[in-house]
Amino acid sequence: MGLLLGTLQLFYPLLIAAVVLFIYALIKQSWKLMLISAILLYPDAWYFSGSPRFPWAIFVPLIQVVLAALFYLKKRKFK
């Protein structure tokens, strides 16, 4: 994790990309984009969960995974 967020300096780019994809996925109701957003947010959530103030932060990407499942089931229901 130190290589990804520290050495490569990808903390803010991953966070910004995850938020932008999250908003776009909500607008489009795309389950694929929501899963990509959750994957991009996971390293930042893992980093924040190491803090004693935010041990629950590791579970934040699960919100996106649940939304992706709901979008998938909704799209599958209409087909």
Side-chain angles (χ1 to χ4, degrees), residues 34-59:
M34 192 63 74
L35 277 180
I36 292 170
S37 174
I39 291 168
L40 290 176
L41 187 63
Y42 185 72
D44 291 334
W46 187 12
Y47 175 76
F48 278 122
S49 70
S51 170
R53 294 180 67 193
F54 305 110
W56 47 265
I58 195 72
F59 300 113

Side-chain angles (χ1 to χ4, degrees), residues 1-56:
M1 195 53 60
L3 173 71
L4 184 64
L5 297 179
T7 306
L8 295 177
Q9 307 248 330
L10 290 177
F11 182 80
Y12 288 112
L14 285 176
L15 188 62
I16 292 168
V19 169
V20 168
L21 272 176
F22 176 75
I23 293 169
Y24 188 67
L26 278 178
I27 293 169
K28 292 289 190 175
Q29 293 189 354
S30 170
W31 65 273
K32 293 175 186 175
L33 292 175
M34 192 63 74
L35 277 180
I36 292 170
S37 174
I39 291 168
L40 290 176
L41 187 63
Y42 185 72
D44 291 334
W46 187 12
Y47 175 76
F48 278 122
S49 70
S51 170
R53 294 180 67 193
F54 305 110
W56 47 265

